[in-house]
Amino acid sequence: MPFQFFGTSGAMSSPERDNTALAFYSKDEVVLVDCSGSPYQKILKAGLDPTRVTSLIVTHRHVDHVYGIPSLAHNMGLAGRRAAVHVYALSETMKVLRGFMGLFPLEEKMPYRIELHEVPPKEGHDVLRAKGFRILSTPVKHGAPNIGLRVEFDSPGERGAVVYSGDTSPCPSLIALARGADVLIHEATFLHDEVVRAAADGHTTGYQVGEVASQAGVKRLILCHFSASLHGREDELRREAVHSFTGPVELAEELREYRV
Ligand SMILES: [Zn+2]
Ligand SMILES: [Zn+2]
């Protein structure tokens, strides 16, 4: 199942990298994960059809993961969308989403509905099932309640699992979720010399992300959510990760199609 990064940075964007957000897609539908930047433009730049976007999963309430939502909702309405958009999030995150809907009259003039689905903070929760794939969530360890996601797909010629960590410190629940995955997309916000700050902020260092990938037994590791202070020096994160993980380690590139 192909996926693309709409952004790969931490909380600060830079000329090179936008805030972390992703799109997973099958032949029939697109599932967005987090919503930053100019999301409608990113969908178009990625070569995806906005009418195929069925769902948005919001991992947590931090600004860099949610601020694009009003714009996405507005643009979809202006484009004449009729089908409902399903939004999945933890109850804490949902408060922010309801706040957006109070702040902007998103649905009043829109020809479609936004349907909110609350995700319980439960390990291995079945968030959604669609033709050819399903998505599971698990709570991870961050400054706000947050979830990691496992996308499992099984369609002719394609079978596997991709896991996205969300923002997190290394944690057993994410390692369990990632067990044996073909690809682990994991945040690597800081280098290991900032391990104390990483722990305080609920993030992972380059060195730690290699350990997580190795403990989870994944086949391939893709790093993202890089602190803006490391843009241009991301290879240092990769070099830390390969200390403890022997599989391939890549630095996420924006608007490039990845396949398992
Ligand atoms: Zn973040
Ligand atoms: Zn965060």
Side-chain angles (χ1 to χ4, degrees), residues 60 62 64-65 142 146 167 203 225:
H60 67 301
H62 283 163
D64 51 319
H65 298 260
H142 192 49
N146 194 4
D167 287 12
H203 290 300
H225 202 275

Side-chain angles (χ1 to χ4, degrees), residues 18 35 37 43 75 110 164 176 182 208 210 219 235 240 245 255:
D18 203 349
C35 195
I43 293 165
N75 280 188
M110 299 295 179
Y164 168 50
D182 297 277
Q208 290 170 328
K219 297 197 182 92
D235 203 53
E240 285 193 350
F245 180 62
L255 298 173

